[in-house]
Amino acid sequence: MKGSRLSLTSLRIFLAAARYLNFSRAAEQLHLTQSAVSKHIQALETRLGVSLFRRTATGLRLTHAGALYLERVSAAVRLLDEADAVVARPDARVALNIAVSPSFAQFCLIPGLREFFDAHPEIRINLRPRLLEGRDKAERFDAEIQLHTGHRSGMSTQYLCGREMALVGAPSLFARNPVHDMDDLAGVPLLKRAQRGYGWDEWKAHMAPSWPGPAATAPEYEGFSVLMPAVLNGLGVAIAPLCMVADALQSGQLRRPFGESVEGRYAYYLMRPRPDVGGPYLDAWCEWIAARAVGLNETVAALA
């Protein structure tokens, strides 16, 4: 690096510029002029000896060096802010920003979150419903829980739950249209999930490879957060991860007519960015969610 040590002000300006990919918006957010933002970025690039941004016909983009720098600087600045808060305001709660698959948050995480807060009153969790794809690339999170196959570049992954899936439906639906074998599925609506994972093709490859499966015109729902309420209200049957529906199966809200447990490719994983600079508070969160996942898996095993 050329020159003297970088100032924290310049780093915060870089983070804002990287978030918005627009110097004017960054300046507005920081109550600075666009010229001041531009000068800080230029000085930062001069000291580093590399370009952090490139201008395109559609606006600013991070260079490869800029993306690497963003990953590390955002983690470092968050740790500095956390240290300031802990020392200056000992009674303040540390905030962790967690991205979570919306369905996992609704059915698996939030029902047990009170337990974590009781054990760690000093920690505040900012939950953001996010999927891995199709989101603002400038967003950075301390950890994520995502539906995935378990291999993600730039992140460490730890399996939580969700490999086991089954066909489920509401008792009221089966009362009207009993399902005892694959042929009986012709008499009930077969609901599809629009996103990847837990698909009918993967399920039927294990259960009945020659069965044609749902028609191309079968109703489709965008994610489990809307698919599962449809199933619970008797609108049709669907393939669901057992960790998500275990409580509903035990309580009788849902039934699993074939009693199967099919292992699929996708599951829910805890993901942490590399390099990992999360610290003890994030470690506490990750240890808790891993322990909760053990409980969910034990409940699934008890269904067998």
Side-chain angles (χ1 to χ4, degrees), residues 16-82:
R19 176 183 181 186
Y20 294 111
L21 292 175
N22 185 296
F23 287 176
S24 295
R25 290 187 62 190
E28 181 181 349
Q29 176 69 23
L30 298 170
H31 306 289
L32 298 171
T33 65
Q34 181 180 346
S35 175
V37 169
S38 181
K39 288 179 180 178
H40 272 276
I41 298 300
Q42 288 175 5
L44 186 57
E45 291 176 327
T46 298
R47 291 185 178 186
L48 292 170
V50 296
S51 296
L52 299 174
F53 297 92
R54 60 185 175 88
R55 288 173 172 78
T56 69
T58 57
L60 284 181
R61 292 290 181 270
L62 284 168
T63 63
H64 178 67
L68 292 176
Y69 199 57
L70 173 62
E71 180 180 338
R72 288 155 177 79
V73 167
S74 59
V77 171
R78 185 189 64 78
L79 285 177
L80 288 172
D81 289 342
E82 180 179 303

Short mmCIF file of all heavy atoms in Angstrom, two decimals, residues 16-82:
data_model
loop_
_atom_site.label_atom_id
_atom_site.label_comp_id
_atom_site.label_asym_id
_atom_site.label_seq_id
_atom_site.Cartn_x
_atom_site.Cartn_y
_atom_site.Cartn_z
N ALA A 16 -20.23 3.03 1.45
CA ALA A 16 -21.46 3.63 0.95
C ALA A 16 -21.48 3.64 -0.58
O ALA A 16 -22.49 3.33 -1.21
CB ALA A 16 -21.63 5.05 1.49
N ALA A 17 -20.35 3.98 -1.18
CA ALA A 17 -20.27 4.01 -2.64
C ALA A 17 -20.45 2.60 -3.22
O ALA A 17 -21.11 2.41 -4.25
CB ALA A 17 -18.94 4.60 -3.09
N ALA A 18 -19.89 1.61 -2.55
CA ALA A 18 -20.02 0.23 -3.02
C ALA A 18 -21.45 -0.27 -2.83
O ALA A 18 -21.94 -1.08 -3.63
CB ALA A 18 -19.05 -0.67 -2.26
N ARG A 19 -22.11 0.20 -1.81
CA ARG A 19 -23.49 -0.24 -1.58
C ARG A 19 -24.42 0.31 -2.65
O ARG A 19 -25.25 -0.42 -3.21
CB ARG A 19 -23.95 0.22 -0.20
CG ARG A 19 -25.41 -0.10 0.09
CD ARG A 19 -25.85 0.44 1.43
NE ARG A 19 -27.24 0.10 1.70
CZ ARG A 19 -27.92 0.54 2.75
NH1 ARG A 19 -27.32 1.32 3.65
NH2 ARG A 19 -29.18 0.21 2.92
N TYR A 20 -24.31 1.60 -2.94
CA TYR A 20 -25.23 2.23 -3.87
C TYR A 20 -24.74 2.20 -5.31
O TYR A 20 -25.54 2.39 -6.24
CB TYR A 20 -25.48 3.68 -3.45
CG TYR A 20 -26.19 3.82 -2.14
CD1 TYR A 20 -25.52 4.33 -1.02
CD2 TYR A 20 -27.52 3.44 -2.00
CE1 TYR A 20 -26.17 4.46 0.20
CE2 TYR A 20 -28.17 3.56 -0.78
CZ TYR A 20 -27.49 4.08 0.31
OH TYR A 20 -28.13 4.19 1.52
N LEU A 21 -23.42 1.98 -5.50
CA LEU A 21 -22.81 2.05 -6.83
C LEU A 21 -23.21 3.34 -7.53
O LEU A 21 -23.52 3.39 -8.72
CB LEU A 21 -23.20 0.82 -7.67
CG LEU A 21 -22.60 -0.50 -7.19
CD1 LEU A 21 -23.15 -1.67 -7.99
CD2 LEU A 21 -21.08 -0.47 -7.23
N ASN A 22 -23.19 4.41 -6.72
CA ASN A 22 -23.57 5.73 -7.19
C ASN A 22 -23.00 6.75 -6.22
O ASN A 22 -23.40 6.77 -5.05
CB ASN A 22 -25.10 5.83 -7.28
CG ASN A 22 -25.56 7.14 -7.88
OD1 ASN A 22 -25.34 8.20 -7.31
ND2 ASN A 22 -26.22 7.06 -9.03
N PHE A 23 -22.09 7.59 -6.67
CA PHE A 23 -21.45 8.55 -5.78
C PHE A 23 -22.44 9.58 -5.26
O PHE A 23 -22.34 10.05 -4.12
CB PHE A 23 -20.30 9.24 -6.49
CG PHE A 23 -19.08 8.37 -6.69
CD1 PHE A 23 -17.98 8.85 -7.40
CD2 PHE A 23 -19.02 7.09 -6.17
CE1 PHE A 23 -16.84 8.06 -7.57
CE2 PHE A 23 -17.90 6.29 -6.33
CZ PHE A 23 -16.82 6.78 -7.04
N SER A 24 -23.41 9.96 -6.07
CA SER A 24 -24.40 10.95 -5.64
C SER A 24 -25.25 10.42 -4.49
O SER A 24 -25.49 11.11 -3.50
CB SER A 24 -25.29 11.37 -6.82
OG SER A 24 -24.53 12.02 -7.81
N ARG A 25 -25.70 9.17 -4.62
CA ARG A 25 -26.52 8.58 -3.55
C ARG A 25 -25.69 8.36 -2.29
O ARG A 25 -26.18 8.55 -1.17
CB ARG A 25 -27.12 7.26 -4.03
CG ARG A 25 -28.21 7.42 -5.09
CD ARG A 25 -28.87 6.10 -5.38
NE ARG A 25 -29.54 5.56 -4.19
CZ ARG A 25 -30.03 4.32 -4.11
NH1 ARG A 25 -29.89 3.50 -5.15
NH2 ARG A 25 -30.63 3.90 -3.02
N ALA A 26 -24.44 7.97 -2.48
CA ALA A 26 -23.56 7.80 -1.32
C ALA A 26 -23.35 9.13 -0.61
O ALA A 26 -23.38 9.21 0.63
CB ALA A 26 -22.23 7.21 -1.76
N ALA A 27 -23.15 10.19 -1.38
CA ALA A 27 -22.95 11.52 -0.80
C ALA A 27 -24.19 11.96 -0.03
O ALA A 27 -24.09 12.52 1.08
CB ALA A 27 -22.63 12.52 -1.92
N GLU A 28 -25.35 11.72 -0.61
CA GLU A 28 -26.61 12.09 0.07
C GLU A 28 -26.76 11.34 1.38
O GLU A 28 -27.15 11.91 2.40
CB GLU A 28 -27.78 11.79 -0.86
CG GLU A 28 -29.13 12.15 -0.28
CD GLU A 28 -30.27 11.83 -1.23
OE1 GLU A 28 -30.00 11.53 -2.41
OE2 GLU A 28 -31.43 11.87 -0.80
N GLN A 29 -26.44 10.04 1.38
CA GLN A 29 -26.55 9.23 2.58
C GLN A 29 -25.61 9.70 3.68
O GLN A 29 -25.94 9.69 4.87
CB GLN A 29 -26.26 7.77 2.22
CG GLN A 29 -26.25 6.81 3.40
CD GLN A 29 -27.63 6.60 3.99
OE1 GLN A 29 -28.63 6.81 3.32
NE2 GLN A 29 -27.69 6.21 5.25
N LEU A 30 -24.41 10.16 3.28
CA LEU A 30 -23.38 10.55 4.23
C LEU A 30 -23.37 12.05 4.52
O LEU A 30 -22.51 12.53 5.27
CB LEU A 30 -22.00 10.13 3.70
CG LEU A 30 -21.79 8.62 3.52
CD1 LEU A 30 -20.50 8.36 2.76
CD2 LEU A 30 -21.78 7.92 4.86
N HIS A 31 -24.30 12.79 3.89
CA HIS A 31 -24.38 14.25 4.06
C HIS A 31 -23.09 14.92 3.61
O HIS A 31 -22.54 15.81 4.29
CB HIS A 31 -24.71 14.62 5.51
CG HIS A 31 -25.93 13.95 6.04
ND1 HIS A 31 -27.20 14.28 5.61
CD2 HIS A 31 -26.10 12.93 6.94
CE1 HIS A 31 -28.09 13.53 6.23
NE2 HIS A 31 -27.45 12.70 7.04
N LEU A 32 -22.59 14.48 2.46
CA LEU A 32 -21.40 15.06 1.86
C LEU A 32 -21.74 15.52 0.44
O LEU A 32 -22.83 15.26 -0.06
CB LEU A 32 -20.26 14.02 1.79
CG LEU A 32 -19.74 13.47 3.12
CD1 LEU A 32 -18.79 12.32 2.87
CD2 LEU A 32 -19.05 14.57 3.92
N THR A 33 -20.80 16.18 -0.19
CA THR A 33 -20.98 16.52 -1.60
C THR A 33 -20.45 15.37 -2.45
O THR A 33 -19.61 14.57 -2.01
CB THR A 33 -20.21 17.80 -1.95
OG1 THR A 33 -18.80 17.56 -1.81
CG2 THR A 33 -20.64 18.95 -1.07
N GLN A 34 -20.95 15.30 -3.68
CA GLN A 34 -20.46 14.27 -4.59
C GLN A 34 -18.97 14.43 -4.85
O GLN A 34 -18.23 13.44 -4.95
CB GLN A 34 -21.22 14.33 -5.92
CG GLN A 34 -20.77 13.25 -6.91
CD GLN A 34 -21.53 13.33 -8.22
OE1 GLN A 34 -22.55 13.99 -8.32
NE2 GLN A 34 -21.03 12.64 -9.24
N SER A 35 -18.51 15.67 -4.90
CA SER A 35 -17.10 15.94 -5.11
C SER A 35 -16.25 15.37 -3.97
O SER A 35 -15.17 14.79 -4.20
CB SER A 35 -16.86 17.44 -5.23
OG SER A 35 -15.49 17.74 -5.33
N ALA A 36 -16.75 15.51 -2.73
CA ALA A 36 -16.00 14.98 -1.59
C ALA A 36 -15.91 13.46 -1.64
O ALA A 36 -14.85 12.89 -1.36
CB ALA A 36 -16.68 15.43 -0.29
N VAL A 37 -17.02 12.82 -2.01
CA VAL A 37 -17.00 11.36 -2.13
C VAL A 37 -15.99 10.94 -3.20
O VAL A 37 -15.18 10.03 -3.01
CB VAL A 37 -18.41 10.82 -2.46
CG1 VAL A 37 -18.35 9.34 -2.86
CG2 VAL A 37 -19.33 11.02 -1.27
N SER A 38 -16.05 11.60 -4.34
CA SER A 38 -15.15 11.27 -5.45
C SER A 38 -13.69 11.44 -5.05
O SER A 38 -12.83 10.59 -5.37
CB SER A 38 -15.48 12.15 -6.66
OG SER A 38 -14.63 11.84 -7.75
N LYS A 39 -13.38 12.51 -4.31
CA LYS A 39 -12.00 12.75 -3.90
C LYS A 39 -11.51 11.69 -2.92
O LYS A 39 -10.36 11.24 -2.98
CB LYS A 39 -11.88 14.14 -3.28
CG LYS A 39 -11.97 15.28 -4.30
CD LYS A 39 -11.87 16.64 -3.63
CE LYS A 39 -11.96 17.76 -4.66
NZ LYS A 39 -11.91 19.09 -4.02
N HIS A 40 -12.38 11.27 -2.00
CA HIS A 40 -12.00 10.22 -1.05
C HIS A 40 -11.72 8.91 -1.78
O HIS A 40 -10.75 8.21 -1.45
CB HIS A 40 -13.10 10.03 -0.01
CG HIS A 40 -12.98 10.93 1.18
ND1 HIS A 40 -12.17 10.64 2.26
CD2 HIS A 40 -13.55 12.12 1.45
CE1 HIS A 40 -12.25 11.60 3.15
NE2 HIS A 40 -13.10 12.53 2.70
N ILE A 41 -12.56 8.57 -2.74
CA ILE A 41 -12.37 7.32 -3.49
C ILE A 41 -11.08 7.40 -4.30
O ILE A 41 -10.30 6.43 -4.34
CB ILE A 41 -13.57 7.04 -4.39
CG1 ILE A 41 -14.86 6.84 -3.57
CG2 ILE A 41 -13.31 5.81 -5.27
CD1 ILE A 41 -14.80 5.70 -2.58
N GLN A 42 -10.84 8.54 -4.93
CA GLN A 42 -9.60 8.69 -5.70
C GLN A 42 -8.37 8.57 -4.80
O GLN A 42 -7.39 7.92 -5.17
CB GLN A 42 -9.60 10.05 -6.41
CG GLN A 42 -10.59 10.14 -7.57
CD GLN A 42 -10.65 11.54 -8.16
OE1 GLN A 42 -9.89 12.43 -7.76
NE2 GLN A 42 -11.56 11.74 -9.10
N ALA A 43 -8.43 9.19 -3.62
CA ALA A 43 -7.30 9.10 -2.70
C ALA A 43 -7.11 7.67 -2.22
O ALA A 43 -5.97 7.19 -2.08
CB ALA A 43 -7.54 10.03 -1.51
N LEU A 44 -8.21 6.98 -1.99
CA LEU A 44 -8.14 5.59 -1.55
C LEU A 44 -7.50 4.72 -2.63
O LEU A 44 -6.62 3.89 -2.36
CB LEU A 44 -9.55 5.09 -1.21
CG LEU A 44 -9.70 3.70 -0.59
CD1 LEU A 44 -8.89 3.60 0.69
CD2 LEU A 44 -11.17 3.42 -0.32
N GLU A 45 -7.93 4.90 -3.86
CA GLU A 45 -7.38 4.13 -4.98
C GLU A 45 -5.89 4.44 -5.17
O GLU A 45 -5.09 3.54 -5.49
CB GLU A 45 -8.16 4.41 -6.25
CG GLU A 45 -9.58 3.86 -6.22
CD GLU A 45 -10.39 4.22 -7.46
OE1 GLU A 45 -10.16 5.34 -7.99
OE2 GLU A 45 -11.23 3.41 -7.88
N THR A 46 -5.52 5.69 -4.99
CA THR A 46 -4.11 6.07 -5.13
C THR A 46 -3.26 5.37 -4.07
O THR A 46 -2.18 4.85 -4.36
CB THR A 46 -3.95 7.59 -5.02
OG1 THR A 46 -4.68 8.22 -6.08
CG2 THR A 46 -2.48 7.99 -5.09
N ARG A 47 -3.75 5.35 -2.85
CA ARG A 47 -3.00 4.71 -1.77
C ARG A 47 -2.90 3.20 -1.96
O ARG A 47 -1.87 2.59 -1.65
CB ARG A 47 -3.65 5.02 -0.43
CG ARG A 47 -3.52 6.47 -0.01
CD ARG A 47 -4.08 6.70 1.38
NE ARG A 47 -3.90 8.09 1.80
CZ ARG A 47 -4.20 8.53 3.01
NH1 ARG A 47 -4.71 7.70 3.90
NH2 ARG A 47 -4.02 9.79 3.33
N LEU A 48 -3.96 2.60 -2.46
CA LEU A 48 -3.96 1.15 -2.67
C LEU A 48 -3.21 0.76 -3.95
O LEU A 48 -2.75 -0.37 -4.09
CB LEU A 48 -5.40 0.62 -2.74
CG LEU A 48 -6.20 0.68 -1.45
CD1 LEU A 48 -7.67 0.37 -1.73
CD2 LEU A 48 -5.64 -0.29 -0.42
N GLY A 49 -3.17 1.69 -4.89
CA GLY A 49 -2.51 1.41 -6.15
C GLY A 49 -3.35 0.60 -7.11
O GLY A 49 -2.82 -0.01 -8.05
N VAL A 50 -4.67 0.55 -6.90
CA VAL A 50 -5.59 -0.19 -7.79
C VAL A 50 -6.87 0.61 -7.96
O VAL A 50 -7.19 1.49 -7.15
CB VAL A 50 -5.94 -1.58 -7.22
CG1 VAL A 50 -4.71 -2.47 -7.13
CG2 VAL A 50 -6.61 -1.46 -5.85
N SER A 51 -7.63 0.29 -8.99
CA SER A 51 -8.96 0.87 -9.19
C SER A 51 -9.98 0.02 -8.46
O SER A 51 -9.97 -1.21 -8.58
CB SER A 51 -9.30 0.94 -10.68
OG SER A 51 -8.42 1.81 -11.35
N LEU A 52 -10.85 0.66 -7.72
CA LEU A 52 -11.90 -0.05 -6.98
C LEU A 52 -13.22 -0.05 -7.74
O LEU A 52 -14.06 -0.94 -7.52
CB LEU A 52 -12.09 0.59 -5.61
CG LEU A 52 -10.85 0.57 -4.71
CD1 LEU A 52 -11.11 1.37 -3.43
CD2 LEU A 52 -10.45 -0.86 -4.36
N PHE A 53 -13.44 0.93 -8.59
CA PHE A 53 -14.67 1.04 -9.37
C PHE A 53 -14.31 1.21 -10.85
O PHE A 53 -13.25 1.70 -11.19
CB PHE A 53 -15.50 2.25 -8.92
CG PHE A 53 -15.99 2.18 -7.51
CD1 PHE A 53 -15.23 2.72 -6.47
CD2 PHE A 53 -17.20 1.59 -7.21
CE1 PHE A 53 -15.67 2.67 -5.16
CE2 PHE A 53 -17.65 1.53 -5.90
CZ PHE A 53 -16.88 2.07 -4.87
N ARG A 54 -15.22 0.79 -11.69
CA ARG A 54 -15.11 1.09 -13.12
C ARG A 54 -16.45 1.64 -13.59
O ARG A 54 -17.52 1.21 -13.14
CB ARG A 54 -14.71 -0.14 -13.93
CG ARG A 54 -15.67 -1.31 -13.86
CD ARG A 54 -15.10 -2.51 -14.59
NE ARG A 54 -15.93 -3.68 -14.46
CZ ARG A 54 -16.94 -3.98 -15.28
NH1 ARG A 54 -17.21 -3.17 -16.29
NH2 ARG A 54 -17.67 -5.07 -15.09
N ARG A 55 -16.39 2.57 -14.49
CA ARG A 55 -17.59 3.20 -15.02
C ARG A 55 -18.02 2.48 -16.28
O ARG A 55 -17.21 2.23 -17.18
CB ARG A 55 -17.35 4.69 -15.29
CG ARG A 55 -17.23 5.50 -14.02
CD ARG A 55 -16.83 6.94 -14.30
NE ARG A 55 -16.89 7.76 -13.09
CZ ARG A 55 -15.96 7.76 -12.15
NH1 ARG A 55 -14.90 6.99 -12.28
NH2 ARG A 55 -16.10 8.54 -11.08
N THR A 56 -19.30 2.13 -16.36
CA THR A 56 -19.86 1.46 -17.53
C THR A 56 -21.01 2.30 -18.07
O THR A 56 -21.40 3.31 -17.46
CB THR A 56 -20.37 0.05 -17.19
OG1 THR A 56 -21.53 0.16 -16.35
CG2 THR A 56 -19.29 -0.75 -16.45
N ALA A 57 -21.58 1.86 -19.16
CA ALA A 57 -22.71 2.59 -19.76
C ALA A 57 -23.92 2.59 -18.84
O ALA A 57 -24.77 3.49 -18.92
CB ALA A 57 -23.07 1.97 -21.11
N THR A 58 -23.99 1.60 -17.95
CA THR A 58 -25.15 1.51 -17.05
C THR A 58 -24.84 2.00 -15.64
O THR A 58 -25.68 1.91 -14.76
CB THR A 58 -25.64 0.06 -16.98
OG1 THR A 58 -24.56 -0.79 -16.56
CG2 THR A 58 -26.15 -0.41 -18.34
N GLY A 59 -23.62 2.50 -15.41
CA GLY A 59 -23.30 3.03 -14.09
C GLY A 59 -22.02 2.45 -13.53
O GLY A 59 -21.22 1.82 -14.25
N LEU A 60 -21.81 2.64 -12.23
CA LEU A 60 -20.61 2.15 -11.58
C LEU A 60 -20.68 0.65 -11.34
O LEU A 60 -21.76 0.10 -11.08
CB LEU A 60 -20.42 2.85 -10.23
CG LEU A 60 -19.90 4.29 -10.21
CD1 LEU A 60 -19.78 4.76 -8.77
CD2 LEU A 60 -18.55 4.39 -10.91
N ARG A 61 -19.52 0.00 -11.38
CA ARG A 61 -19.38 -1.40 -11.02
C ARG A 61 -18.10 -1.56 -10.23
O ARG A 61 -17.12 -0.85 -10.46
CB ARG A 61 -19.32 -2.29 -12.27
CG ARG A 61 -20.61 -2.35 -13.05
CD ARG A 61 -21.68 -3.13 -12.28
NE ARG A 61 -22.92 -3.23 -13.03
CZ ARG A 61 -23.91 -2.36 -12.99
NH1 ARG A 61 -23.79 -1.28 -12.22
NH2 ARG A 61 -25.00 -2.53 -13.69
N LEU A 62 -18.10 -2.48 -9.28
CA LEU A 62 -16.89 -2.78 -8.55
C LEU A 62 -15.94 -3.57 -9.44
O LEU A 62 -16.36 -4.45 -10.18
CB LEU A 62 -17.20 -3.60 -7.31
CG LEU A 62 -17.82 -2.85 -6.11
CD1 LEU A 62 -18.34 -3.85 -5.10
CD2 LEU A 62 -16.79 -1.94 -5.45
N THR A 63 -14.67 -3.26 -9.37
CA THR A 63 -13.66 -4.10 -10.01
C THR A 63 -13.47 -5.35 -9.15
O THR A 63 -14.02 -5.47 -8.04
CB THR A 63 -12.33 -3.36 -10.13
OG1 THR A 63 -11.85 -3.07 -8.80
CG2 THR A 63 -12.49 -2.07 -10.92
N HIS A 64 -12.69 -6.29 -9.66
CA HIS A 64 -12.40 -7.48 -8.86
C HIS A 64 -11.71 -7.09 -7.56
O HIS A 64 -12.06 -7.59 -6.47
CB HIS A 64 -11.51 -8.44 -9.66
CG HIS A 64 -11.11 -9.66 -8.90
ND1 HIS A 64 -12.01 -10.64 -8.53
CD2 HIS A 64 -9.88 -10.07 -8.43
CE1 HIS A 64 -11.38 -11.59 -7.86
NE2 HIS A 64 -10.09 -11.28 -7.79
N ALA A 65 -10.76 -6.15 -7.65
CA ALA A 65 -10.08 -5.67 -6.44
C ALA A 65 -11.07 -4.99 -5.51
O ALA A 65 -11.01 -5.14 -4.28
CB ALA A 65 -8.96 -4.71 -6.82
N GLY A 66 -12.01 -4.22 -6.09
CA GLY A 66 -13.01 -3.54 -5.28
C GLY A 66 -13.89 -4.52 -4.53
O GLY A 66 -14.25 -4.30 -3.37
N ALA A 67 -14.29 -5.62 -5.21
CA ALA A 67 -15.14 -6.63 -4.57
C ALA A 67 -14.40 -7.31 -3.42
O ALA A 67 -14.98 -7.54 -2.34
CB ALA A 67 -15.59 -7.65 -5.60
N LEU A 68 -13.13 -7.64 -3.62
CA LEU A 68 -12.34 -8.24 -2.55
C LEU A 68 -12.19 -7.28 -1.37
O LEU A 68 -12.30 -7.67 -0.20
CB LEU A 68 -10.97 -8.64 -3.08
CG LEU A 68 -10.92 -9.79 -4.10
CD1 LEU A 68 -9.50 -9.99 -4.59
CD2 LEU A 68 -11.45 -11.07 -3.47
N TYR A 69 -11.95 -6.03 -1.71
CA TYR A 69 -11.76 -5.01 -0.67
C TYR A 69 -13.05 -4.81 0.12
O TYR A 69 -13.04 -4.68 1.35
CB TYR A 69 -11.31 -3.71 -1.33
CG TYR A 69 -10.66 -2.72 -0.39
CD1 TYR A 69 -9.55 -3.09 0.37
CD2 TYR A 69 -11.14 -1.42 -0.27
CE1 TYR A 69 -8.94 -2.17 1.22
CE2 TYR A 69 -10.54 -0.51 0.58
CZ TYR A 69 -9.44 -0.90 1.32
OH TYR A 69 -8.83 0.00 2.16
N LEU A 70 -14.18 -4.77 -0.58
CA LEU A 70 -15.48 -4.60 0.07
C LEU A 70 -15.74 -5.71 1.08
O LEU A 70 -16.20 -5.45 2.20
CB LEU A 70 -16.58 -4.57 -0.98
CG LEU A 70 -18.02 -4.55 -0.44
CD1 LEU A 70 -18.27 -3.30 0.38
CD2 LEU A 70 -19.01 -4.64 -1.60
N GLU A 71 -15.45 -6.94 0.69
CA GLU A 71 -15.71 -8.08 1.58
C GLU A 71 -14.97 -7.93 2.90
O GLU A 71 -15.52 -8.16 3.98
CB GLU A 71 -15.29 -9.37 0.88
CG GLU A 71 -15.51 -10.62 1.71
CD GLU A 71 -15.08 -11.88 0.98
OE1 GLU A 71 -15.01 -11.86 -0.26
OE2 GLU A 71 -14.79 -12.88 1.67
N ARG A 72 -13.72 -7.50 2.83
CA ARG A 72 -12.91 -7.42 4.03
C ARG A 72 -13.14 -6.14 4.82
O ARG A 72 -13.17 -6.16 6.05
CB ARG A 72 -11.43 -7.57 3.65
CG ARG A 72 -11.09 -9.00 3.24
CD ARG A 72 -9.90 -9.09 2.32
NE ARG A 72 -9.58 -10.48 2.01
CZ ARG A 72 -10.23 -11.22 1.12
NH1 ARG A 72 -11.24 -10.70 0.45
NH2 ARG A 72 -9.89 -12.47 0.91
N VAL A 73 -13.31 -5.04 4.12
CA VAL A 73 -13.52 -3.77 4.82
C VAL A 73 -14.86 -3.75 5.54
O VAL A 73 -14.96 -3.25 6.68
CB VAL A 73 -13.42 -2.59 3.82
CG1 VAL A 73 -13.95 -1.31 4.44
CG2 VAL A 73 -11.97 -2.40 3.39
N SER A 74 -15.91 -4.30 4.92
CA SER A 74 -17.22 -4.29 5.57
C SER A 74 -17.17 -5.08 6.87
O SER A 74 -17.75 -4.67 7.89
CB SER A 74 -18.29 -4.85 4.63
OG SER A 74 -17.97 -6.17 4.24
N ALA A 75 -16.47 -6.22 6.88
CA ALA A 75 -16.34 -7.01 8.10
C ALA A 75 -15.52 -6.27 9.14
O ALA A 75 -15.87 -6.25 10.34
CB ALA A 75 -15.70 -8.36 7.77
N ALA A 76 -14.43 -5.62 8.72
CA ALA A 76 -13.56 -4.91 9.65
C ALA A 76 -14.27 -3.72 10.29
O ALA A 76 -14.17 -3.49 11.51
CB ALA A 76 -12.29 -4.45 8.93
N VAL A 77 -15.00 -2.94 9.48
CA VAL A 77 -15.70 -1.76 10.01
C VAL A 77 -16.81 -2.19 10.97
O VAL A 77 -17.05 -1.55 12.00
CB VAL A 77 -16.25 -0.90 8.86
CG1 VAL A 77 -17.18 0.19 9.39
CG2 VAL A 77 -15.10 -0.27 8.08
N ARG A 78 -17.49 -3.30 10.64
CA ARG A 78 -18.53 -3.79 11.55
C ARG A 78 -17.93 -4.16 12.91
O ARG A 78 -18.49 -3.85 13.97
CB ARG A 78 -19.23 -5.00 10.96
CG ARG A 78 -20.41 -5.48 11.83
CD ARG A 78 -20.95 -6.80 11.36
NE ARG A 78 -19.97 -7.85 11.49
CZ ARG A 78 -19.67 -8.46 12.65
NH1 ARG A 78 -20.26 -8.08 13.77
NH2 ARG A 78 -18.78 -9.41 12.69
N LEU A 79 -16.76 -4.79 12.91
CA LEU A 79 -16.12 -5.15 14.17
C LEU A 79 -15.70 -3.91 14.95
O LEU A 79 -15.80 -3.87 16.19
CB LEU A 79 -14.91 -6.03 13.89
CG LEU A 79 -15.20 -7.49 13.52
CD1 LEU A 79 -13.90 -8.22 13.21
CD2 LEU A 79 -15.95 -8.20 14.63
N LEU A 80 -15.23 -2.87 14.25
CA LEU A 80 -14.86 -1.63 14.94
C LEU A 80 -16.09 -0.98 15.57
O LEU A 80 -16.04 -0.50 16.71
CB LEU A 80 -14.21 -0.67 13.94
CG LEU A 80 -12.79 -1.04 13.47
CD1 LEU A 80 -12.36 -0.11 12.34
CD2 LEU A 80 -11.81 -0.96 14.63
N ASP A 81 -17.20 -0.95 14.83
CA ASP A 81 -18.42 -0.37 15.38
C ASP A 81 -18.91 -1.16 16.59
O ASP A 81 -19.39 -0.59 17.58
CB ASP A 81 -19.51 -0.34 14.30
CG ASP A 81 -19.23 0.68 13.21
OD1 ASP A 81 -18.41 1.59 13.45
OD2 ASP A 81 -19.81 0.57 12.11
N GLU A 82 -18.77 -2.47 16.48
CA GLU A 82 -19.18 -3.33 17.59
C GLU A 82 -18.33 -3.06 18.82
O GLU A 82 -18.83 -2.97 19.95
CB GLU A 82 -19.06 -4.78 17.17
CG GLU A 82 -19.46 -5.79 18.24
CD GLU A 82 -19.34 -7.21 17.73
OE1 GLU A 82 -19.97 -7.52 16.71
OE2 GLU A 82 -18.60 -8.00 18.35
#
